[in-house]
């Protein structure tokens, strides 16, 4: 969905500190301060928790990891993503003051990016008391063997219908944004932002000629049918748990993250 963003009177601009690397940090310089002051606004910066406590009108994030953290937090505050981001319409760091001026003037356009809900849970019934793990993904969800070149057997289901069973090093499901990143390296289809679907592809398949899929985001299930090595669940680049033959991973649409784009800057 694309629609204009009207902005707020006396806006609060929240600049979220990068979580992983200084290279992704946003410098609050005099040019940025001047733009916000001209809009009768204020700037707050710090960790995501600190920034959200100030009830910002708009968030500014640098880098993929910080943007992913915002998606995990489930915020409904619109975001201006900064820096080179594959699959995301972002702002060049040098053009941030001009872009933020356009945002605060109400010249930005909303882009709704899907966020996936991911659940890892045991299928062993009452035999194991293993709590489910719930995560959110803005880019991709990956099941991957922990040892390189140790192939396991994976299954894929869509709305209780068997889609495929294949032997591979892993499998990835990517949102339209994520389909242009790691998933593209394993030949997953590139998806338009306007498509309500995920791109799914095996990683290092045992059979060279394998299928890739474009599937709806309402009820996907992944499982390890036979394991020759431990497998991990990786969500937006973060390892979140172990996947065994006694567990399954469910993926469905959770909500969306609103991004603000300024096409003329």
């Amino acid at each position: 969905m694309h629609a204009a963003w009207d902005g707020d009177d006396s806006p609060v601009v929240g600049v979220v500190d990068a979580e992983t690397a200084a290279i992704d940090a946003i410098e609050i310089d005099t040019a940025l301060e001047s733009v916000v002051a001209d809009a009768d606004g204020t700037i707050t910066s710090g960790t995501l928790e600190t920034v959200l406590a100030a009830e910002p009108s708009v968030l500014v994030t640098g880098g993929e990891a910080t943007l992913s953290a915002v998606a995990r937090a489930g915020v409904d505050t619109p975001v201006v993503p900064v820096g080179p981001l594959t699959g995301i319409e972002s702002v060049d760091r040098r053009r941030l003051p001009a872009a933020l001026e356009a945002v605060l003037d109400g010249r930005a356009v909303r882009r709704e990016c899907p966020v996936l809900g991911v659940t890892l849970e045991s299928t062993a019934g009452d035999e194991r008391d293993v709590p489910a793990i719930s995560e959110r993904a803005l880019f991709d969800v990956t099941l991957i063997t922990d040892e390189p070149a140790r192939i396991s057997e994976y299954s894929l289901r869509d709305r209780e219908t068997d889609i495929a069973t294949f032997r591979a090093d892993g499998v990835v499901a990517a949102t339209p944004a994520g389909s242009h990143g790691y998933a593209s390296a394993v030949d997953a289809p590139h998806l338009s932002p306007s498509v309500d679907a995920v791109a799914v592809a095996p990683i290092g398949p045992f059979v060279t000629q394998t299928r890739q899929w474009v599937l709806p985001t309402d009820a996907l299930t992944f499982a390890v049918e036979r394991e020759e090595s431990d497998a991990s669940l990786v969500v937006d680049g973060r390892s979140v748990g172990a996947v065994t033959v006694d567990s399954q991973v469910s993926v469905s649409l959770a909500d969306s993250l609103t991004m603000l784009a300024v096409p003329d800057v």
Side-chain angles (χ1 to χ4, degrees):
M1 180 178 67
H2 304 333
W5 186 71
D6 295 332
D8 289 341
D9 295 329
S10 302
V12 176
V13 177
V15 179
V16 184
D17 285 346
E19 290 195 341
T20 57
I23 193 171
D24 288 331
I26 304 296
E27 181 183 356
I28 302 177
D29 55 18
T30 54
L32 205 61
E33 291 175 339
S34 177
V35 166
V36 177
D38 288 345
D40 295 325
T42 57
I43 296 180
T44 183
S45 65
T47 65
L48 179 58
E49 182 179 5
T50 299
V51 169
L52 291 179
E55 299 183 353
S57 311
V58 61
L59 294 173
V60 178
T61 65
E64 184 175 302
T66 307
L67 188 60
S68 178
V70 172
R72 289 197 304 275
V75 302
D76 56 10
T77 306
V79 182
V80 178
V82 179
L85 290 166
T86 303
I88 297 288
E89 190 172 353
S90 58
V91 173
D92 184 279
R93 196 175 302 271
R94 296 167 297 179
R95 301 293 297 163
L96 179 56
L100 188 56
E101 180 180 8
V103 167
L104 298 179
D105 283 346
R107 292 185 279 121
V109 178
R110 300 168 65 101
R111 313 284 198 209
E112 299 295 338
C113 294
V115 177
L116 302 176
V118 185
T119 303
L120 169 61
E121 57 189 343
S122 172
T123 58
D126 296 331
E127 297 177 12
R128 298 183 182 180
D129 185 17
V130 180
I133 296 174
S134 295
E135 286 286 338
R136 294 159 65 91
L138 180 64
F139 296 102
D140 51 42
V141 180
T142 306
L143 281 67
I144 186 75
T145 54
D146 291 340
E147 296 182 36
R150 292 298 299 272
I151 289 177
S152 295
E153 188 170 271
Y154 296 89
S155 65
L156 167 62
R157 305 188 75 191
D158 172 30
R159 289 176 288 189
E160 302 302 322
T161 299
D162 292 332
I163 299 297
T165 300
F166 49 87
R167 297 185 67 199
D169 291 335
V171 58
V172 60
T175 65
S179 70
H180 297 268
Y182 169 74
S184 67
V186 295
D187 296 325
H190 287 181
L191 301 182
S192 164
S194 61
V195 174
D196 295 327
V198 292
V200 181
I203 301 169
F206 179 73
V207 178
T208 55
Q209 292 184 338
T210 58
R211 291 183 177 180
Q212 296 83 34
W213 302 270
V214 175
L215 298 170
T217 55
D218 49 359
L220 294 177
T221 303
F222 299 90
V224 177
E225 300 296 334
R226 183 176 62 183
E227 56 184 354
E228 298 182 15
S229 173
D230 292 337
S232 294
L233 173 62
V234 180
V235 179
D236 280 359
R238 299 166 55 250
S239 180
V240 300
V243 186
T244 69
V245 292
D246 294 322
S247 60
Q248 69 178 17
V249 176
S250 302
V251 178
S252 60
L253 182 66
D255 56 23
S256 63
L257 181 65
T258 302
M259 311 233 193
L260 297 179
V262 189
D264 57 346
V265 173

